[in-house]
Coordinates of all heavy atoms in Angstrom, one line a residue:
M805 N 4.5 8.6 -6.8 CA 4.1 8.6 -8.2 C 4.3 7.3 -8.9 O 3.5 6.8 -9.6 CB 4.8 9.7 -8.9 CG 4.0 11.0 -9.0 SD 4.9 12.3 -9.8 CE 3.7 12.5 -11.2
L806 N 5.5 6.6 -8.5 CA 5.7 5.4 -9.2 C 4.9 4.3 -8.8 O 4.4 3.5 -9.6 CB 7.2 5.0 -8.8 CG 8.3 5.8 -9.5 CD1 9.7 5.4 -9.0 CD2 8.3 5.6 -11.0
A807 N 4.5 4.3 -7.5 CA 3.5 3.2 -7.0 C 2.2 3.4 -7.9 O 1.6 2.4 -8.2 CB 3.2 3.3 -5.6
G808 N 1.7 4.6 -8.0 CA 0.4 4.8 -8.7 C 0.6 4.5 -10.2 O -0.3 4.0 -10.9
Y809 N 1.7 4.8 -10.7 CA 2.0 4.6 -12.1 C 2.0 3.0 -12.4 O 1.4 2.6 -13.4 CB 3.3 5.2 -12.6 CG 3.6 5.2 -14.0 CD1 3.0 6.1 -14.9 CD2 4.4 4.2 -14.6 CE1 3.2 6.1 -16.2 CE2 4.7 4.2 -15.9 CZ 4.1 5.0 -16.8 OH 4.4 5.0 -18.1
Y810 N 2.7 2.3 -11.6 CA 2.7 0.9 -11.8 C 1.4 0.2 -11.4 O 1.2 -0.9 -11.8 CB 3.9 0.3 -11.1 CG 5.2 0.7 -11.8 CD1 6.2 1.3 -11.2 CD2 5.4 0.3 -13.1 CE1 7.3 1.7 -11.8 CE2 6.6 0.6 -13.8 CZ 7.6 1.4 -13.0 OH 8.7 1.6 -13.7
A811 N 0.7 0.8 -10.5 CA -0.7 0.2 -10.1 C -1.6 0.3 -11.2 O -2.3 -0.7 -11.6 CB -1.2 0.9 -9.0
D812 N -1.5 1.3 -12.1 CA -2.3 1.5 -13.4 C -3.7 1.1 -13.2 O -4.2 0.4 -14.1 CB -1.5 0.7 -14.4 CG -2.0 1.1 -15.8 OD1 -2.5 2.2 -16.0 OD2 -1.8 0.2 -16.8
G813 N -4.4 1.7 -12.3 CA -5.8 1.4 -12.0 C -6.7 2.7 -12.1 O -7.8 2.6 -11.6
G814 N -6.1 3.8 -12.7 CA -6.8 5.1 -12.7 C -6.8 5.7 -11.3 O -5.9 5.4 -10.5
F815 N -7.8 6.5 -11.1 CA -8.0 7.2 -9.9 C -8.1 6.3 -8.7 O -7.4 6.4 -7.7 CB -9.1 8.2 -9.9 CG -9.3 8.9 -8.6 CD1 -8.5 10.0 -8.4 CD2 -10.2 8.6 -7.7 CE1 -8.7 10.8 -7.3 CE2 -10.3 9.3 -6.6 CZ -9.7 10.4 -6.3
E816 N -8.9 5.2 -8.8 CA -9.1 4.3 -7.7 C -7.8 3.5 -7.4 O -7.5 3.2 -6.2 CB -10.2 3.3 -8.1 CG -11.6 4.0 -8.1 CD -11.8 4.7 -9.5 OE1 -11.2 4.2 -10.5 OE2 -12.8 5.4 -9.6
G817 N -7.1 3.0 -8.4 CA -5.9 2.3 -8.2 C -4.8 3.1 -7.5 O -4.1 2.6 -6.7
G818 N -4.7 4.4 -7.9 CA -3.8 5.3 -7.3 C -4.1 5.7 -5.7 O -3.3 5.7 -4.9
L819 N -5.4 5.8 -5.5 CA -5.9 6.0 -4.2 C -5.6 4.7 -3.3 O -5.1 5.0 -2.2 CB -7.4 6.3 -4.2 CG -8.0 6.7 -2.9 CD1 -7.3 8.1 -2.4 CD2 -9.5 6.9 -3.1
K820 N -5.8 3.6 -3.8 CA -5.6 2.3 -3.1 C -4.1 2.3 -2.8 O -3.7 1.9 -1.6 CB -6.1 1.1 -3.9 CG -7.5 0.9 -3.8 CD -8.0 -0.2 -4.6 CE -9.5 -0.4 -4.8 NZ -9.8 -1.5 -5.6
S821 N -3.3 2.4 -3.8 CA -1.7 2.3 -3.5 C -1.3 3.4 -2.5 O -0.4 3.2 -1.7 CB -0.9 2.3 -4.7 OG -1.1 3.6 -5.5
G822 N -1.9 4.5 -2.5 CA -1.5 5.6 -1.6 C -1.9 5.3 -0.3 O -1.1 5.5 0.7
V823 N -3.1 4.8 0.0 CA -3.6 4.4 1.3 C -2.8 3.3 1.8 O -2.4 3.2 3.0 CB -5.0 4.1 1.3 CG1 -5.5 3.4 2.5 CG2 -5.9 5.3 1.0
L824 N -2.4 2.3 1.0 CA -1.5 1.1 1.3 C -0.2 1.7 1.8 O 0.4 1.2 2.9 CB -1.4 0.1 0.3 CG -0.7 -1.1 0.6 CD1 -1.5 -1.9 1.6 CD2 -0.6 -2.0 -0.6
M825 N 0.4 2.6 1.1 CA 1.7 3.2 1.5 C 1.5 3.9 2.8 O 2.5 3.8 3.7 CB 2.2 4.2 0.4 CG 3.4 4.8 0.7 SD 4.0 5.9 -0.6 CE 2.6 6.9 -1.0
T826 N 0.5 4.5 3.1 CA 0.2 5.2 4.4 C 0.2 4.2 5.6 O 0.7 4.4 6.5 CB -1.0 6.1 4.3 OG1 -0.9 7.0 3.2 CG2 -1.3 6.8 5.7
I827 N -0.5 3.1 5.3 CA -0.6 2.1 6.3 C 0.7 1.5 6.6 O 1.1 1.3 7.8 CB -1.6 1.0 5.9 CG1 -3.0 1.5 5.9 CG2 -1.5 -0.2 6.8 CD1 -4.1 0.6 5.2
F828 N 1.6 1.3 5.6 CA 2.9 0.8 5.8 C 3.8 1.8 6.6 O 4.9 1.4 7.1 CB 3.5 0.3 4.6 CG 3.0 -1.0 4.1 CD1 2.7 -1.2 2.7 CD2 2.7 -2.1 4.9 CE1 2.2 -2.4 2.3 CE2 2.3 -3.3 4.5 CZ 2.0 -3.4 3.2
M829 N 3.4 3.1 6.5 CA 4.2 4.1 7.2 C 3.8 4.2 8.6 O 4.5 4.6 9.5 CB 4.1 5.4 6.4 CG 4.9 6.6 7.1 SD 6.6 6.3 6.9 CE 7.2 7.7 7.9
I830 N 2.5 4.0 8.9 CA 2.0 4.2 10.2 C 2.5 3.1 11.2 O 2.9 3.4 12.3 CB 0.4 4.0 10.2 CG1 -0.2 5.3 9.6 CG2 -0.2 3.9 11.6 CD1 -1.7 5.2 9.4
I831 N 2.6 1.9 10.7 CA 3.0 0.7 11.6 C 4.4 0.9 12.2 O 4.6 1.0 13.4 CB 3.0 -0.6 10.8 CG1 1.5 -0.9 10.5 CG2 3.6 -1.7 11.7 CD1 1.3 -2.0 9.6
P832 N 5.5 1.2 11.4 CA 6.8 1.4 12.0 C 7.0 2.8 12.7 O 7.6 2.9 13.7 CB 7.7 1.4 10.8 CG 7.0 1.6 9.6 CD 5.6 1.2 10.0
G833 N 6.2 3.8 12.3 CA 6.2 5.0 13.0 C 5.7 4.9 14.5 O 6.3 5.3 15.4
F834 N 4.6 4.3 14.6 CA 4.0 4.2 15.9 C 4.8 3.1 16.7 O 4.9 3.2 18.0 CB 2.5 3.7 15.9 CG 1.8 4.9 15.7 CD1 1.0 5.0 14.5 CD2 1.6 5.8 16.7 CE1 0.1 6.1 14.4 CE2 0.8 7.0 16.4 CZ 0.1 7.1 15.3
L835 N 5.4 2.1 16.1 CA 6.2 1.2 16.9 C 7.5 1.8 17.4 O 7.9 1.6 18.6 CB 6.6 -0.1 16.0 CG 5.6 -1.1 15.7 CD1 6.0 -2.1 14.8 CD2 5.1 -1.6 17.1
L836 N 8.2 2.7 16.6 CA 9.3 3.4 17.0 C 9.0 4.4 18.0 O 9.8 4.5 19.0 CB 10.0 4.0 15.9 CG 10.8 3.0 14.9 CD1 11.3 3.8 13.7 CD2 12.0 2.4 15.6
G837 N 7.9 5.1 18.0 CA 7.5 6.0 18.9 C 7.1 5.4 20.2 O 7.4 5.9 21.2
G838 N 6.5 4.3 20.1 CA 6.1 3.6 21.4 C 7.4 3.0 22.1 O 7.4 3.1 23.4
V839 N 8.3 2.6 21.3 CA 9.5 2.0 22.0 C 10.3 3.2 22.6 O 10.8 3.0 23.8 CB 10.4 1.2 20.9 CG1 11.8 0.9 21.5 CG2 9.7 -0.1 20.6
L840 N 10.5 4.2 21.8 CA 11.1 5.4 22.3 C 10.5 5.9 23.6 O 11.1 6.3 24.6 CB 11.2 6.4 21.4 CG 12.1 7.8 21.7 CD1 13.5 7.4 22.0 CD2 12.0 8.9 20.6
G841 N 9.2 6.0 23.5 CA 8.3 6.5 24.8 C 8.5 5.6 26.0 O 8.6 6.0 27.1
A842 N 8.5 4.3 25.7 CA 8.6 3.3 26.8 C 10.0 3.3 27.5 O 10.2 3.2 28.7 CB 8.3 1.9 26.4
V843 N 11.0 3.4 26.7 CA 12.4 3.5 27.2 C 12.7 4.7 28.0 O 13.3 4.7 29.0 CB 13.4 3.4 26.1 CG1 14.8 3.6 26.5 CG2 13.2 2.0 25.4
L844 N 12.2 5.9 27.4 CA 12.6 7.2 28.1 C 11.5 7.8 29.0 O 11.6 8.9 29.4 CB 12.9 8.2 27.0 CG 14.1 7.8 26.1 CD1 14.3 8.8 25.0 CD2 15.4 7.9 27.0
R845 N 10.5 7.0 29.3 CA 9.4 7.5 30.1 C 9.9 7.9 31.5 O 9.4 8.8 32.1 CB 8.2 6.4 30.2 CG 7.0 6.9 31.1 CD 6.0 5.9 31.1 NE 5.6 5.6 29.7 CZ 5.0 4.5 29.4 NH1 4.6 3.6 30.2 NH2 4.6 4.4 28.1
E846 N 10.8 7.1 32.0 CA 11.1 7.4 33.4 C 12.4 8.2 33.6 O 12.9 8.3 34.7 CB 11.5 5.9 34.1 CG 10.3 4.9 34.1 CD 9.1 5.5 34.8 OE1 9.3 6.2 35.9 OE2 8.0 5.2 34.5
A847 N 12.8 8.8 32.5 CA 13.9 9.8 32.6 C 13.5 10.9 33.4 O 12.4 11.4 33.3 CB 14.3 10.2 31.1
P848 N 14.4 11.4 34.3 CA 13.9 12.4 35.3 C 13.4 13.8 34.8 O 12.4 14.2 35.2 CB 15.2 12.6 36.2 CG 16.2 11.7 35.7 CD 15.7 11.0 34.5
V849 N 14.2 14.4 33.9 CA 13.9 15.7 33.5 C 13.1 15.7 32.1 O 12.0 16.4 32.0 CB 15.1 16.6 33.3 CG1 14.8 17.9 32.9 CG2 15.8 16.6 34.8
L850 N 13.6 15.0 31.1 CA 13.0 15.1 29.8 C 12.1 14.0 29.4 O 11.6 13.9 28.3 CB 14.2 15.2 28.8 CG 15.1 16.3 28.9 CD1 16.2 16.3 27.9 CD2 14.2 17.6 28.6
G851 N 11.8 13.0 30.3 CA 11.0 11.9 30.0 C 9.6 12.1 29.4 O 9.3 11.6 28.3
G852 N 8.9 12.9 30.1 CA 7.5 13.3 29.6 C 7.5 14.1 28.3 O 6.8 13.9 27.4
F853 N 8.5 15.0 28.2 CA 8.7 15.8 27.0 C 9.0 14.9 25.9 O 8.5 15.0 24.7 CB 9.7 16.9 27.2 CG 10.0 17.7 26.0 CD1 9.0 18.5 25.5 CD2 11.1 17.4 25.2 CE1 9.3 19.4 24.5 CE2 11.4 18.2 24.1 CZ 10.4 19.2 23.7
V854 N 9.9 13.9 26.0 CA 10.3 13.1 24.8 C 9.2 12.2 24.4 O 8.9 12.0 23.2 CB 11.6 12.2 25.3 CG1 11.9 11.1 24.4 CG2 12.8 13.1 25.5
V855 N 8.4 11.6 25.4 CA 7.3 10.8 25.1 C 6.2 11.6 24.3 O 5.8 11.1 23.3 CB 6.7 10.2 26.3 CG1 5.4 9.5 26.0 CG2 7.6 9.3 27.1
A856 N 5.9 12.7 24.7 CA 4.9 13.7 24.0 C 5.5 14.0 22.6 O 4.7 14.0 21.7 CB 4.5 14.8 24.9
S857 N 6.7 14.5 22.6 CA 7.2 14.9 21.3 C 7.5 13.8 20.3 O 7.1 14.0 19.1 CB 8.5 15.6 21.5 OG 9.4 14.8 22.0
A858 N 7.7 12.6 20.8 CA 7.8 11.5 19.9 C 6.4 11.2 19.3 O 6.3 10.9 18.1 CB 8.3 10.2 20.6
F859 N 5.4 11.3 20.1 CA 4.0 11.0 19.5 C 3.6 12.1 18.5 O 3.1 11.7 17.4 CB 3.0 10.9 20.7 CG 1.6 10.7 20.2 CD1 1.2 9.4 19.8 CD2 0.7 11.7 20.2 CE1 -0.1 9.2 19.4 CE2 -0.5 11.5 19.9 CZ -1.0 10.3 19.3
V860 N 3.9 13.3 18.8 CA 3.5 14.5 17.9 C 4.2 14.4 16.6 O 3.8 14.5 15.5 CB 3.7 15.8 18.6 CG1 3.6 17.0 17.7 CG2 2.7 15.9 19.8
I861 N 5.6 14.1 16.7 CA 6.4 14.1 15.5 C 6.0 12.9 14.6 O 5.9 13.0 13.4 CB 7.9 13.9 16.0 CG1 8.3 15.3 16.5 CG2 8.7 13.6 14.7 CD1 9.8 15.3 17.2
T862 N 5.7 11.8 15.2 CA 5.2 10.6 14.5 C 3.8 11.0 13.8 O 3.7 10.6 12.5 CB 5.0 9.3 15.4 OG1 6.2 9.1 16.1 CG2 4.6 8.2 14.6
I863 N 2.9 11.7 14.4 CA 1.7 12.0 13.8 C 1.9 13.0 12.5 O 1.4 12.7 11.6 CB 0.7 12.6 14.8 CG1 0.3 11.7 15.9 CG2 -0.4 13.4 14.2 CD1 -0.6 10.6 15.2
I864 N 2.9 13.9 12.8 CA 3.2 14.9 11.8 C 3.8 14.2 10.5 O 3.5 14.4 9.4 CB 4.1 16.0 12.2 CG1 3.3 16.9 13.2 CG2 4.7 16.9 11.2 CD1 4.2 17.9 14.0
I865 N 4.7 13.3 10.8 CA 5.4 12.6 9.6 C 4.4 11.6 9.0 O 4.4 11.7 7.7 CB 6.6 11.8 10.2 CG1 7.7 12.8 10.6 CG2 7.1 10.8 9.2 CD1 8.9 12.1 11.3
V866 N 3.6 11.0 9.6 CA 2.6 10.1 9.0 C 1.6 10.9 8.3 O 1.3 10.6 7.1 CB 2.0 9.3 10.0 CG1 0.7 8.4 9.5 CG2 3.0 8.1 10.7
A867 N 1.1 12.0 8.8 CA 0.2 12.8 8.0 C 0.8 13.5 6.8 O 0.2 13.4 5.7 CB -0.3 14.0 8.9
H868 N 2.1 13.9 6.8 CA 2.7 14.5 5.6 C 3.0 13.4 4.6 O 2.8 13.5 3.4 CB 4.2 14.9 6.1 CG 4.9 15.4 4.9 ND1 5.8 14.6 4.3 CD2 4.9 16.5 4.2 CE1 6.3 15.2 3.3 NE2 5.8 16.4 3.2
T869 N 3.3 12.2 5.0 CA 3.5 11.0 4.1 C 2.1 10.6 3.5 O 2.1 10.3 2.2 CB 4.1 9.8 4.9 OG1 5.4 10.2 5.3 CG2 4.3 8.6 3.9
A870 N 1.1 10.6 4.3 CA -0.3 10.1 3.8 C -0.7 11.2 2.7 O -1.1 10.8 1.6 CB -1.2 10.2 5.0
I871 N -0.6 12.4 3.0 CA -1.1 13.5 2.0 C -0.3 13.5 0.8 O -0.8 13.4 -0.3 CB -1.1 14.9 2.7 CG1 -2.2 14.9 3.9 CG2 -1.3 16.0 1.7 CD1 -2.0 16.1 4.8
T872 N 1.0 13.6 0.9 CA 1.9 13.7 -0.3 C 1.9 12.3 -1.0 O 1.9 12.2 -2.3 CB 3.3 14.2 0.0 OG1 3.8 13.2 1.0 CG2 3.3 15.5 0.5
G873 N 1.9 11.3 -0.3 CA 1.8 9.9 -1.0 C 0.6 9.5 -1.8 O 0.6 9.0 -2.7
I874 N -0.6 9.9 -1.2 CA -1.8 9.7 -1.9 C -1.9 10.7 -3.1 O -2.3 10.2 -4.1 CB -3.0 9.8 -0.8 CG1 -3.0 8.7 0.2 CG2 -4.3 9.9 -1.6 CD1 -4.0 8.9 1.3
I875 N -1.6 11.9 -3.0 CA -1.6 12.7 -4.1 C -0.7 12.3 -5.2 O -1.1 12.3 -6.4 CB -1.3 14.2 -3.7 CG1 -2.5 14.8 -2.8 CG2 -1.1 15.1 -4.9 CD1 -2.2 16.2 -2.2
G876 N 0.5 12.0 -4.8 CA 1.5 11.5 -5.9 C 1.0 10.3 -6.5 O 1.1 10.0 -7.7
S877 N 0.5 9.3 -5.7 CA 0.1 8.0 -6.3 C -1.1 8.2 -7.2 O -1.2 7.6 -8.3 CB -0.3 7.1 -5.1 OG -0.6 5.8 -5.6
V878 N -2.0 9.1 -6.9 CA -3.2 9.3 -7.8 C -2.6 9.9 -9.1 O -3.2 9.7 -10.2 CB -4.2 10.2 -7.1 CG1 -5.3 10.7 -8.0 CG2 -4.9 9.4 -6.0
I879 N -1.8 10.9 -9.0 CA -1.2 11.6 -10.2 C -0.5 10.6 -11.0 O -0.7 10.6 -12.3 CB -0.3 12.8 -9.7 CG1 -1.1 13.9 -9.2 CG2 0.4 13.2 -11.0 CD1 -0.3 15.0 -8.6
G880 N 0.3 9.7 -10.5 CA 1.0 8.7 -11.2 C 0.0 7.8 -11.9 O 0.2 7.3 -13.1
A881 N -1.1 7.3 -11.2 CA -2.0 6.5 -11.9 C -2.8 7.1 -13.0 O -3.0 6.6 -14.0 CB -3.1 5.9 -10.7
L882 N -3.1 8.5 -12.8 CA -3.8 9.2 -13.8 C -2.8 9.3 -15.1 O -3.3 9.2 -16.2 CB -4.2 10.5 -13.3 CG -5.4 10.5 -12.4 CD1 -5.8 11.8 -11.9 CD2 -6.6 9.8 -13.0
L883 N -1.6 9.5 -14.8 CA -0.6 9.7 -15.9 C -0.5 8.3 -16.7 O -0.3 8.2 -17.9 CB 0.8 10.1 -15.4 CG 0.9 11.5 -15.0 CD1 2.2 11.8 -14.4 CD2 0.6 12.5 -16.1
A884 N -0.5 7.3 -16.0 CA -0.4 6.0 -16.5 C -1.6 5.6 -17.4 O -1.6 5.0 -18.4 CB -0.2 4.9 -15.5
S885 N -2.9 6.1 -17.0 CA -4.0 5.8 -17.7 C -4.0 6.7 -19.0 O -4.8 6.3 -19.9 CB -5.2 6.1 -16.9 OG -5.4 7.4 -16.6
R886 N -3.3 7.8 -19.1 CA -3.3 8.6 -20.2 C -2.2 8.3 -21.3 O -2.1 8.8 -22.3 CB -3.1 10.0 -19.9 CG -4.3 10.6 -18.9 CD -4.1 12.0 -18.8 NE -4.2 12.7 -20.0 CZ -4.3 14.0 -20.0 NH1 -4.2 14.7 -18.9 NH2 -4.4 14.7 -21.2
K887 N -1.3 7.3 -21.0 CA -0.3 7.0 -21.9 C -0.9 6.3 -23.1 O -1.8 5.6 -23.1 CB 0.7 6.0 -21.2 CG 0.2 4.8 -20.9 CD 1.4 3.9 -20.2 CE 0.9 2.6 -19.8 NZ 1.7 1.8 -19.2
A888 N -0.1 6.5 -24.2 CA -0.6 5.9 -25.5 C -0.3 4.4 -25.6 O 0.9 4.1 -25.2 CB 0.1 6.6 -26.7
V889 N -1.1 3.6 -26.1 CA -0.8 2.2 -26.2 C -0.1 1.9 -27.5 O -0.3 2.3 -28.5 CB -2.0 1.4 -26.0 CG1 -1.8 -0.1 -26.2 CG2 -2.7 1.7 -24.7

C-alpha cells in the first residue's frame, strides 16, 4: 500500500508499482530456487523432491506476492488520489 501511496499516480501508478514489486520478487525467488535445486539435485533420496518442491513453493510465494502486492498498491494509489490538498 505504501508503494502505491507514494507513487501517487492513481490506478495506473499503483498498478505499475505493484508489477515492479512483483518483478523484484521473481528474480531472487527463482535464483534461490535454482541454486537450491542445483545443489540438491544429486541427493540420493530427496533430491528430485526438493527440486520440484522448491520450484512449486517459489511459484506459490511469487503468485501470492503478486496478487496481494498489486491489490495493495492500487488501493494505496487510489487513497493517495483521494486525499485533500
Side-chain angles (χ1 to χ4, degrees):
M805 266 179 115
L806 287 175
Y809 186 81
Y810 287 120
D812 196 19
F815 180 80
E816 293 84 19
L819 189 63
K820 286 179 187 177
S821 64
V823 169
L824 185 64
M825 181 176 47
T826 301
I827 291 170
F828 284 138
M829 181 66 184
I830 288 172
I831 294 169
F834 279 114
L835 286 176
L836 287 172
V839 167
L840 183 65
V843 168
L844 296 175
R845 180 179 303 162
E846 300 300 324
V849 177
L850 296 175
F853 177 73
V854 170
V855 172
S857 64
F859 179 72
V860 170
I861 290 171
T862 302
I863 293 293
I864 290 170
I865 290 172
V866 168
H868 176 265
T869 302
I871 292 168
T872 58
I874 290 173
I875 290 171
S877 185
V878 167
I879 290 171
L882 291 176
L883 288 175
S885 66
R886 295 185 68 174
K887 69 181 176 185
V889 177

